[in-house]
Amino acid sequence: MKARKCLSSNQRKRTLHRNKVKLANRRHTQFSVDQYNNEESSVNANNELENS
């Protein structure tokens, strides 16, 4: 009985950890995409100013 309880507890911990990691990765990915889009839009704005 004790081994089974421990096993389910470890599985739960592992699942929680994986979910936490997935969330963090998603956040980092979204941040990177936002940064890239901000840089791209500022480059486009600079190019438009130079071409005017």
Short mmCIF file of all heavy atoms in Angstrom, two decimals:
data_model
loop_
_atom_site.label_atom_id
_atom_site.label_comp_id
_atom_site.label_asym_id
_atom_site.label_seq_id
_atom_site.Cartn_x
_atom_site.Cartn_y
_atom_site.Cartn_z
N MET A 1 0.83 -1.21 0.00
CA MET A 1 0.00 0.00 0.00
C MET A 1 0.86 1.26 0.00
O MET A 1 0.61 2.19 -0.73
CB MET A 1 -0.91 -0.04 1.23
CG MET A 1 -1.95 1.04 1.25
SD MET A 1 -3.20 0.75 -0.02
CE MET A 1 -4.13 2.22 0.08
N LYS A 2 1.89 1.24 0.84
CA LYS A 2 2.73 2.43 0.94
C LYS A 2 3.46 2.74 -0.37
O LYS A 2 3.58 3.88 -0.77
CB LYS A 2 3.75 2.22 2.07
CG LYS A 2 4.41 3.50 2.51
CD LYS A 2 5.17 3.31 3.80
CE LYS A 2 5.52 4.64 4.40
NZ LYS A 2 6.05 4.56 5.73
N ALA A 3 3.92 1.67 -1.05
CA ALA A 3 4.63 1.85 -2.32
C ALA A 3 3.70 2.49 -3.35
O ALA A 3 4.10 3.36 -4.11
CB ALA A 3 5.17 0.53 -2.83
N ARG A 4 2.46 2.05 -3.37
CA ARG A 4 1.50 2.59 -4.35
C ARG A 4 1.24 4.07 -4.08
O ARG A 4 1.19 4.89 -5.00
CB ARG A 4 0.20 1.81 -4.29
CG ARG A 4 -0.86 2.38 -5.21
CD ARG A 4 -2.07 1.50 -5.28
NE ARG A 4 -1.78 0.37 -6.13
CZ ARG A 4 -2.63 -0.57 -6.45
NH1 ARG A 4 -3.85 -0.52 -5.97
NH2 ARG A 4 -2.30 -1.58 -7.23
N LYS A 5 1.09 4.44 -2.82
CA LYS A 5 0.84 5.83 -2.46
C LYS A 5 2.03 6.69 -2.87
O LYS A 5 1.87 7.78 -3.42
CB LYS A 5 0.60 5.95 -0.95
CG LYS A 5 0.21 7.33 -0.51
CD LYS A 5 -0.11 7.38 0.97
CE LYS A 5 -0.53 8.77 1.38
NZ LYS A 5 -0.76 8.89 2.81
N CYS A 6 3.21 6.17 -2.63
CA CYS A 6 4.43 6.89 -2.99
C CYS A 6 4.51 7.06 -4.51
O CYS A 6 4.87 8.11 -5.00
CB CYS A 6 5.65 6.14 -2.46
SG CYS A 6 7.20 6.96 -2.79
N LEU A 7 4.17 5.99 -5.23
CA LEU A 7 4.22 6.03 -6.68
C LEU A 7 3.28 7.10 -7.23
O LEU A 7 3.66 7.92 -8.07
CB LEU A 7 3.85 4.67 -7.27
CG LEU A 7 3.84 4.57 -8.79
CD1 LEU A 7 5.26 4.72 -9.33
CD2 LEU A 7 3.26 3.24 -9.24
N SER A 8 2.03 7.12 -6.72
CA SER A 8 1.07 8.11 -7.21
C SER A 8 1.52 9.52 -6.84
O SER A 8 1.33 10.46 -7.60
CB SER A 8 -0.33 7.82 -6.68
OG SER A 8 -0.35 7.97 -5.29
N SER A 9 2.13 9.64 -5.68
CA SER A 9 2.63 10.94 -5.26
C SER A 9 3.76 11.41 -6.18
O SER A 9 3.79 12.58 -6.58
CB SER A 9 3.14 10.86 -3.82
OG SER A 9 3.72 12.09 -3.44
N ASN A 10 4.66 10.50 -6.54
CA ASN A 10 5.75 10.85 -7.45
C ASN A 10 5.21 11.22 -8.83
O ASN A 10 5.70 12.16 -9.46
CB ASN A 10 6.75 9.71 -7.58
CG ASN A 10 7.65 9.60 -6.36
OD1 ASN A 10 7.75 10.55 -5.58
ND2 ASN A 10 8.27 8.45 -6.18
N GLN A 11 4.21 10.47 -9.27
CA GLN A 11 3.61 10.78 -10.58
C GLN A 11 2.98 12.16 -10.55
O GLN A 11 3.10 12.93 -11.50
CB GLN A 11 2.55 9.74 -10.94
CG GLN A 11 3.13 8.42 -11.40
CD GLN A 11 2.06 7.39 -11.69
OE1 GLN A 11 1.01 7.41 -11.06
NE2 GLN A 11 2.34 6.50 -12.60
N ARG A 12 2.32 12.46 -9.46
CA ARG A 12 1.66 13.77 -9.31
C ARG A 12 2.70 14.89 -9.32
O ARG A 12 2.54 15.89 -10.02
CB ARG A 12 0.87 13.78 -8.00
CG ARG A 12 -0.08 14.93 -7.89
CD ARG A 12 -1.06 14.70 -6.74
NE ARG A 12 -1.55 15.97 -6.28
CZ ARG A 12 -0.96 16.72 -5.36
NH1 ARG A 12 0.12 16.30 -4.76
NH2 ARG A 12 -1.46 17.89 -5.02
N LYS A 13 3.78 14.68 -8.57
CA LYS A 13 4.85 15.68 -8.54
C LYS A 13 5.43 15.89 -9.93
O LYS A 13 5.67 17.02 -10.37
CB LYS A 13 5.96 15.25 -7.58
CG LYS A 13 5.62 15.40 -6.13
CD LYS A 13 6.78 14.93 -5.27
CE LYS A 13 6.40 14.84 -3.81
NZ LYS A 13 7.43 14.17 -3.01
N ARG A 14 5.67 14.78 -10.62
CA ARG A 14 6.24 14.85 -11.96
C ARG A 14 5.32 15.60 -12.91
O ARG A 14 5.74 16.46 -13.69
CB ARG A 14 6.52 13.44 -12.48
CG ARG A 14 7.45 13.43 -13.68
CD ARG A 14 7.71 12.03 -14.22
NE ARG A 14 7.96 11.05 -13.17
CZ ARG A 14 7.31 9.89 -13.07
NH1 ARG A 14 6.39 9.55 -13.95
NH2 ARG A 14 7.60 9.04 -12.11
N THR A 15 4.01 15.29 -12.82
CA THR A 15 3.03 15.95 -13.68
C THR A 15 2.98 17.44 -13.38
O THR A 15 2.97 18.26 -14.30
CB THR A 15 1.63 15.33 -13.47
OG1 THR A 15 1.72 13.94 -13.73
CG2 THR A 15 0.61 15.96 -14.39
N LEU A 16 2.96 17.79 -12.11
CA LEU A 16 2.93 19.21 -11.73
C LEU A 16 4.17 19.93 -12.24
O LEU A 16 4.09 21.04 -12.75
CB LEU A 16 2.83 19.35 -10.21
CG LEU A 16 1.50 18.97 -9.60
CD1 LEU A 16 1.60 18.97 -8.08
CD2 LEU A 16 0.41 19.93 -10.05
N HIS A 17 5.30 19.28 -12.11
CA HIS A 17 6.56 19.88 -12.57
C HIS A 17 6.54 20.07 -14.08
O HIS A 17 6.93 21.13 -14.59
CB HIS A 17 7.75 19.01 -12.16
CG HIS A 17 9.06 19.58 -12.59
ND1 HIS A 17 9.59 20.71 -12.01
CD2 HIS A 17 9.92 19.21 -13.56
CE1 HIS A 17 10.74 21.00 -12.61
NE2 HIS A 17 10.96 20.10 -13.55
N ARG A 18 6.06 19.06 -14.81
CA ARG A 18 5.98 19.17 -16.28
C ARG A 18 5.08 20.32 -16.69
O ARG A 18 5.39 21.06 -17.61
CB ARG A 18 5.45 17.87 -16.88
CG ARG A 18 6.47 16.79 -16.99
CD ARG A 18 5.89 15.63 -17.78
NE ARG A 18 6.77 14.47 -17.69
CZ ARG A 18 6.34 13.22 -17.63
NH1 ARG A 18 5.06 12.96 -17.64
NH2 ARG A 18 7.19 12.23 -17.57
N ASN A 19 3.95 20.43 -15.99
CA ASN A 19 3.02 21.52 -16.32
C ASN A 19 3.65 22.87 -16.07
O ASN A 19 3.49 23.80 -16.86
CB ASN A 19 1.73 21.38 -15.50
CG ASN A 19 0.89 20.21 -15.96
OD1 ASN A 19 1.10 19.67 -17.04
ND2 ASN A 19 -0.06 19.82 -15.14
N LYS A 20 4.39 22.97 -14.98
CA LYS A 20 5.06 24.22 -14.65
C LYS A 20 6.09 24.57 -15.73
O LYS A 20 6.19 25.71 -16.18
CB LYS A 20 5.75 24.08 -13.29
CG LYS A 20 6.15 25.40 -12.66
CD LYS A 20 6.94 25.20 -11.38
CE LYS A 20 6.13 24.58 -10.27
NZ LYS A 20 6.90 24.50 -9.01
N VAL A 21 6.84 23.56 -16.16
CA VAL A 21 7.86 23.77 -17.19
C VAL A 21 7.21 24.18 -18.51
O VAL A 21 7.67 25.10 -19.18
CB VAL A 21 8.71 22.49 -17.37
CG1 VAL A 21 9.57 22.57 -18.61
CG2 VAL A 21 9.58 22.26 -16.14
N LYS A 22 6.11 23.50 -18.85
CA LYS A 22 5.40 23.85 -20.10
C LYS A 22 4.93 25.30 -20.07
O LYS A 22 5.05 26.02 -21.05
CB LYS A 22 4.20 22.93 -20.31
CG LYS A 22 4.53 21.58 -20.86
CD LYS A 22 3.25 20.79 -21.08
CE LYS A 22 3.56 19.35 -21.46
NZ LYS A 22 2.34 18.54 -21.52
N LEU A 23 4.38 25.71 -18.94
CA LEU A 23 3.91 27.09 -18.81
C LEU A 23 5.06 28.07 -18.96
O LEU A 23 4.95 29.08 -19.65
CB LEU A 23 3.26 27.30 -17.44
CG LEU A 23 1.78 26.94 -17.33
CD1 LEU A 23 1.34 27.07 -15.88
CD2 LEU A 23 0.95 27.83 -18.22
N ALA A 24 6.17 27.78 -18.31
CA ALA A 24 7.34 28.66 -18.38
C ALA A 24 7.85 28.75 -19.81
O ALA A 24 8.15 29.83 -20.31
CB ALA A 24 8.43 28.17 -17.45
N ASN A 25 7.92 27.60 -20.48
CA ASN A 25 8.39 27.59 -21.87
C ASN A 25 7.47 28.41 -22.76
O ASN A 25 7.93 29.15 -23.63
CB ASN A 25 8.49 26.15 -22.39
CG ASN A 25 9.66 25.41 -21.80
OD1 ASN A 25 10.59 26.02 -21.27
ND2 ASN A 25 9.63 24.10 -21.87
N ARG A 26 6.18 28.26 -22.54
CA ARG A 26 5.22 29.01 -23.34
C ARG A 26 5.40 30.50 -23.12
O ARG A 26 5.36 31.30 -24.04
CB ARG A 26 3.80 28.58 -22.97
CG ARG A 26 2.76 29.02 -24.00
CD ARG A 26 1.36 28.60 -23.63
NE ARG A 26 1.28 27.19 -23.30
CZ ARG A 26 0.44 26.69 -22.40
NH1 ARG A 26 -0.39 27.47 -21.74
NH2 ARG A 26 0.41 25.39 -22.15
N ARG A 27 5.61 30.88 -21.85
CA ARG A 27 5.80 32.29 -21.52
C ARG A 27 7.05 32.84 -22.20
O ARG A 27 7.05 33.93 -22.75
CB ARG A 27 5.91 32.45 -20.00
CG ARG A 27 4.87 33.39 -19.46
CD ARG A 27 4.95 33.54 -17.96
NE ARG A 27 4.18 32.52 -17.27
CZ ARG A 27 4.64 31.71 -16.32
NH1 ARG A 27 5.87 31.81 -15.92
NH2 ARG A 27 3.86 30.82 -15.77
N HIS A 28 8.16 32.06 -22.13
CA HIS A 28 9.41 32.50 -22.75
C HIS A 28 9.25 32.62 -24.26
O HIS A 28 9.75 33.56 -24.87
CB HIS A 28 10.55 31.53 -22.43
CG HIS A 28 10.96 31.57 -21.00
ND1 HIS A 28 11.31 32.73 -20.35
CD2 HIS A 28 11.11 30.59 -20.08
CE1 HIS A 28 11.63 32.46 -19.10
NE2 HIS A 28 11.51 31.16 -18.90
N THR A 29 8.54 31.66 -24.85
CA THR A 29 8.33 31.69 -26.29
C THR A 29 7.53 32.92 -26.68
O THR A 29 7.88 33.63 -27.62
CB THR A 29 7.58 30.42 -26.76
OG1 THR A 29 8.33 29.28 -26.35
CG2 THR A 29 7.43 30.39 -28.26
N GLN A 30 6.46 33.18 -25.94
CA GLN A 30 5.62 34.34 -26.24
C GLN A 30 6.41 35.63 -26.08
O GLN A 30 6.31 36.53 -26.91
CB GLN A 30 4.40 34.35 -25.31
CG GLN A 30 3.36 35.39 -25.70
CD GLN A 30 2.84 35.18 -27.10
OE1 GLN A 30 2.42 34.09 -27.46
NE2 GLN A 30 2.87 36.21 -27.92
N PHE A 31 7.23 35.70 -25.05
CA PHE A 31 8.06 36.89 -24.83
C PHE A 31 9.01 37.10 -26.00
O PHE A 31 9.15 38.20 -26.51
CB PHE A 31 8.85 36.73 -23.52
CG PHE A 31 9.79 37.87 -23.25
CD1 PHE A 31 9.31 39.08 -22.80
CD2 PHE A 31 11.15 37.72 -23.46
CE1 PHE A 31 10.17 40.14 -22.55
CE2 PHE A 31 12.02 38.77 -23.22
CZ PHE A 31 11.52 39.98 -22.76
N SER A 32 9.64 36.00 -26.46
CA SER A 32 10.57 36.10 -27.58
C SER A 32 9.86 36.56 -28.85
O SER A 32 10.38 37.39 -29.59
CB SER A 32 11.24 34.75 -27.85
OG SER A 32 11.97 34.35 -26.71
N VAL A 33 8.68 36.02 -29.09
CA VAL A 33 7.90 36.41 -30.28
C VAL A 33 7.55 37.90 -30.19
O VAL A 33 7.69 38.63 -31.19
CB VAL A 33 6.63 35.54 -30.40
CG1 VAL A 33 5.68 36.10 -31.44
CG2 VAL A 33 7.01 34.12 -30.75
N ASP A 34 7.11 38.33 -29.02
CA ASP A 34 6.77 39.75 -28.84
C ASP A 34 7.99 40.64 -29.07
O ASP A 34 7.90 41.67 -29.74
CB ASP A 34 6.21 40.00 -27.45
CG ASP A 34 4.83 39.39 -27.26
OD1 ASP A 34 4.20 39.02 -28.27
OD2 ASP A 34 4.40 39.26 -26.10
N GLN A 35 9.13 40.24 -28.52
CA GLN A 35 10.36 41.02 -28.69
C GLN A 35 10.71 41.12 -30.17
O GLN A 35 11.05 42.20 -30.67
CB GLN A 35 11.53 40.36 -27.95
CG GLN A 35 11.44 40.46 -26.46
CD GLN A 35 11.68 41.87 -25.98
OE1 GLN A 35 10.72 42.59 -25.68
NE2 GLN A 35 12.91 42.27 -25.91
N TYR A 36 10.63 39.99 -30.87
CA TYR A 36 10.97 39.96 -32.30
C TYR A 36 10.03 40.88 -33.08
O TYR A 36 10.47 41.66 -33.92
CB TYR A 36 10.88 38.53 -32.83
CG TYR A 36 11.09 38.43 -34.31
CD1 TYR A 36 12.38 38.51 -34.85
CD2 TYR A 36 10.02 38.25 -35.18
CE1 TYR A 36 12.58 38.43 -36.22
CE2 TYR A 36 10.21 38.17 -36.54
CZ TYR A 36 11.49 38.26 -37.05
OH TYR A 36 11.69 38.19 -38.40
N ASN A 37 8.74 40.81 -32.77
CA ASN A 37 7.77 41.64 -33.48
C ASN A 37 8.00 43.12 -33.19
O ASN A 37 7.86 43.96 -34.09
CB ASN A 37 6.34 41.25 -33.10
CG ASN A 37 5.96 39.90 -33.70
OD1 ASN A 37 6.54 39.47 -34.68
ND2 ASN A 37 4.99 39.23 -33.08
N ASN A 38 8.35 43.46 -31.96
CA ASN A 38 8.62 44.85 -31.61
C ASN A 38 9.84 45.36 -32.37
O ASN A 38 9.84 46.47 -32.90
CB ASN A 38 8.86 45.01 -30.11
CG ASN A 38 7.57 44.89 -29.32
OD1 ASN A 38 6.48 45.03 -29.87
ND2 ASN A 38 7.70 44.61 -28.04
N GLU A 39 10.89 44.55 -32.43
CA GLU A 39 12.10 44.96 -33.16
C GLU A 39 11.80 45.11 -34.64
O GLU A 39 12.25 46.07 -35.27
CB GLU A 39 13.21 43.92 -32.96
CG GLU A 39 13.84 43.96 -31.59
CD GLU A 39 14.88 42.87 -31.39
OE1 GLU A 39 15.33 42.28 -32.39
OE2 GLU A 39 15.24 42.62 -30.23
N GLU A 40 11.03 44.18 -35.18
CA GLU A 40 10.71 44.22 -36.61
C GLU A 40 9.90 45.47 -36.94
O GLU A 40 10.16 46.14 -37.93
CB GLU A 40 9.92 42.96 -36.99
CG GLU A 40 9.89 42.69 -38.47
CD GLU A 40 9.27 41.35 -38.78
OE1 GLU A 40 8.06 41.20 -38.51
OE2 GLU A 40 9.98 40.47 -39.28
N SER A 41 8.93 45.82 -36.09
CA SER A 41 8.10 46.99 -36.36
C SER A 41 8.92 48.27 -36.24
O SER A 41 8.74 49.21 -37.01
CB SER A 41 6.89 47.04 -35.44
OG SER A 41 7.30 47.19 -34.10
N SER A 42 9.88 48.31 -35.30
CA SER A 42 10.71 49.51 -35.18
C SER A 42 11.66 49.64 -36.37
O SER A 42 11.94 50.73 -36.84
CB SER A 42 11.48 49.53 -33.85
OG SER A 42 12.46 48.51 -33.84
N VAL A 43 12.14 48.51 -36.88
CA VAL A 43 12.99 48.54 -38.07
C VAL A 43 12.19 49.05 -39.26
O VAL A 43 12.66 49.88 -40.04
CB VAL A 43 13.58 47.13 -38.36
CG1 VAL A 43 14.17 47.06 -39.76
CG2 VAL A 43 14.64 46.79 -37.32
N ASN A 44 10.96 48.56 -39.40
CA ASN A 44 10.09 49.02 -40.49
C ASN A 44 9.82 50.52 -40.38
O ASN A 44 9.81 51.23 -41.37
CB ASN A 44 8.78 48.24 -40.50
CG ASN A 44 8.97 46.81 -40.96
OD1 ASN A 44 9.96 46.48 -41.58
ND2 ASN A 44 8.01 45.95 -40.63
N ALA A 45 9.58 51.00 -39.16
CA ALA A 45 9.31 52.42 -38.96
C ALA A 45 10.55 53.25 -39.35
O ALA A 45 10.44 54.29 -39.99
CB ALA A 45 8.93 52.68 -37.50
N ASN A 46 11.74 52.76 -38.98
CA ASN A 46 12.97 53.48 -39.33
C ASN A 46 13.16 53.51 -40.84
O ASN A 46 13.58 54.53 -41.40
CB ASN A 46 14.19 52.83 -38.68
CG ASN A 46 14.27 53.14 -37.19
OD1 ASN A 46 13.64 54.09 -36.72
ND2 ASN A 46 15.01 52.32 -36.46
N ASN A 47 12.88 52.40 -41.50
CA ASN A 47 13.03 52.35 -42.96
C ASN A 47 12.07 53.31 -43.64
O ASN A 47 12.44 53.98 -44.61
CB ASN A 47 12.78 50.92 -43.48
CG ASN A 47 13.94 49.99 -43.15
OD1 ASN A 47 15.04 50.45 -42.83
ND2 ASN A 47 13.70 48.70 -43.22
N GLU A 48 10.85 53.42 -43.13
CA GLU A 48 9.88 54.34 -43.71
C GLU A 48 10.34 55.78 -43.52
O GLU A 48 10.17 56.62 -44.41
CB GLU A 48 8.49 54.13 -43.09
CG GLU A 48 7.84 52.84 -43.53
CD GLU A 48 6.53 52.57 -42.80
OE1 GLU A 48 6.04 53.47 -42.12
OE2 GLU A 48 6.03 51.43 -42.94
N LEU A 49 10.91 56.08 -42.36
CA LEU A 49 11.41 57.44 -42.12
C LEU A 49 12.56 57.78 -43.06
O LEU A 49 12.63 58.89 -43.61
CB LEU A 49 11.89 57.58 -40.66
CG LEU A 49 10.81 57.64 -39.60
CD1 LEU A 49 11.44 57.65 -38.21
CD2 LEU A 49 9.94 58.89 -39.79
N GLU A 50 13.45 56.83 -43.27
CA GLU A 50 14.60 57.07 -44.13
C GLU A 50 14.18 57.22 -45.60
O GLU A 50 14.76 57.98 -46.35
CB GLU A 50 15.62 55.93 -44.01
CG GLU A 50 16.33 55.92 -42.68
CD GLU A 50 17.19 54.66 -42.46
OE1 GLU A 50 17.29 53.85 -43.39
OE2 GLU A 50 17.75 54.53 -41.37
N ASN A 51 13.14 56.50 -46.00
CA ASN A 51 12.70 56.53 -47.39
C ASN A 51 11.85 57.77 -47.68
O ASN A 51 11.62 58.08 -48.84
CB ASN A 51 11.90 55.26 -47.73
CG ASN A 51 12.79 54.03 -47.74
OD1 ASN A 51 14.00 54.15 -47.90
ND2 ASN A 51 12.20 52.86 -47.57
N SER A 52 11.39 58.49 -46.68
CA SER A 52 10.53 59.66 -46.90
C SER A 52 11.29 60.82 -47.47
O SER A 52 12.40 61.07 -47.21
CB SER A 52 9.88 60.11 -45.59
OG SER A 52 9.20 59.05 -45.01
#
